[in-house]
Every structure is written in structure tokens, then in C-alpha cells.
Amino acid sequence: MFNQSTAKNQRHSFAVGVEYGHEDLFLELELGTFHTTPLHAQRIANSVNSIILLKDHMVVIFKNAESITINDDFLKHAYKFRVCTKPKLPPLELSALTHREREEFIRNQAYIVTEEDMKEVNWDIKTAFQYLQQQYDARDQAYFSFSLSSSYVIPLSTHMQQEVQHATY
């Protein structure tokens, strides 16, 4: 008989990744395809602690204090950049708002970024670094620290799993 605990512990293939952002520049980093349980796949996605963008490489720091370095020669296919095209609005001091004004702010579409507001750019690491330096007048800044925006765990279909297995043989 099929029960819930059996379903939770079944292994499947998952595409796992994270998205980190700095101001209006977002970095999607594919951590890989893993054959594991759904819970473990989510733990893998949550294992990234921070991402640091430097002039010619990125450092991915994991919660266990391990790290990997990504450059344009190593793992170039694992990342892509997106830029938010929505005009930036001035910051708003929420503490000065009444409860009703805060409720209206939460629903205000002018401050909500949607998928349509994001534009994928075909940038290498150096271009992304230069963009942030120029865009935020930070020419003397040696690095940019990205903060977590989201993570994803996408189950791969059986058909897709078979294709991946055939491609690896």
C-alpha cells in the first residue's frame, strides 16, 4: 500500500538552484541535478549562505563554510544574470505610515516586481561586475555581496530523467 511516508522518502531527480540579487541585478545559479528525496533537494537549495561577485569571478559560500569559485572558464553554463527593468522608486519609510496606508502599500503594483519586469542578459562575470560599479557609482568597490532572493527545486519528469540518463552514458 502506498502511504505518505513512502512518498516523502522516494528518490527522484530534481533540478536545484538559487537566485540571489544585488540591487536590480539578479543571479540565477543552477546547483545541479540531484537524484534524491524532495526534502534533501530542498536542503541542497538552502545550503548556499552567500554569493560574492568579484571583478573576474564569483565565490559561492555554503552554510558549512565550504566554498567554490566560479569563473567564465569554469561553470559558465551554471549561471545567468537578469536585470530588473522596472523604474526604481524612492524608498518609503514604512514606520511613518498608518495601518491602512501600509495595507495599501502592500497592494501597490508600482513597488511589486514581476517576471515581466525582469530581462535576461547574456553577461559574463566581468560585465556584471562593471554594471554594478557604474550603476551604483561604486568604482572603487572590490566586490558585491548578493543576498538570497529565492530558491527552486524542480522535479524532473520520468521522460526527462530518461533523457538525462541517456545523455550521460
Side-chain angles (χ1 to χ4, degrees):
M1 173 121 182
F2 185 74
N3 61 40
Q4 188 173 359
S5 64
T6 305
K8 272 199 291 191
N9 293 325
Q10 284 186 339
R11 293 178 173 264
H12 298 284
S13 291
F14 297 93
V16 179
V18 293
E19 184 171 89
Y20 275 67
H22 184 84
E23 299 292 339
D24 65 345
L25 181 64
F26 292 85
L27 163 69
E28 183 181 324
L29 179 63
E30 183 182 316
L31 298 174
T33 301
F34 300 90
H35 188 72
T36 187
T37 64
L39 179 60
H40 190 250
Q42 190 59 53
R43 284 184 179 152
I44 293 168
N46 293 335
S47 69
V48 177
N49 187 48
S50 59
I51 297 177
I52 310 295
L53 177 68
L54 294 113
K55 185 176 185 175
D56 59 358
H57 64 283
M58 290 183 281
V59 178
V60 181
I61 303 168
F62 295 92
K63 290 181 180 171
N64 67 357
E66 296 282 331
S67 66
I68 60 169
T69 300
I70 298 173
N71 61 40
D72 288 327
D73 296 327
F74 177 67
L75 293 177
K76 167 72 174 141
H77 66 280
Y79 70 86
K80 61 183 170 184
F81 291 102
R82 295 187 310 155
V83 175
C84 180
T85 58
K86 191 169 203 159
K88 203 170 193 180
L89 296 172
L92 189 61
E93 182 55 50
L94 293 177
S95 62
L97 300 178
T98 66
H99 178 72
R100 183 175 178 204
E101 289 171 330
R102 272 187 236 149
E103 291 294 319
E104 289 174 9
F105 170 74
I106 290 170
R107 289 186 215 86
N108 186 339
Q109 294 298 313
Y111 283 92
I112 298 173
V113 175
T114 64
E115 207 48 46
E116 291 79 37
D117 299 322
M118 303 299 285
K119 175 186 170 197
E120 189 171 321
V121 291
N122 190 18
W123 288 351
D124 60 11
I125 292 170
K126 288 178 184 175
T127 304
F129 184 82
Q130 290 169 351
Y131 170 82
L132 287 175
Q133 281 189 316
Q134 292 169 357
Q135 189 76 4
Y136 299 101
D137 199 26
R139 298 198 191 286
D140 59 346
Q141 195 156 339
Y143 69 91
F144 295 95
S145 182
F146 282 61
S147 57
L148 179 64
S149 174
S150 64
S151 63
Y152 62 87
V153 173
I154 303 170
L156 301 176
S157 69
T158 306
H159 175 71
M160 185 103 140
Q161 288 178 27
Q162 289 172 350
E163 286 180 14
V164 169
Q165 287 173 344
H166 290 10
T168 58
Y169 292 124

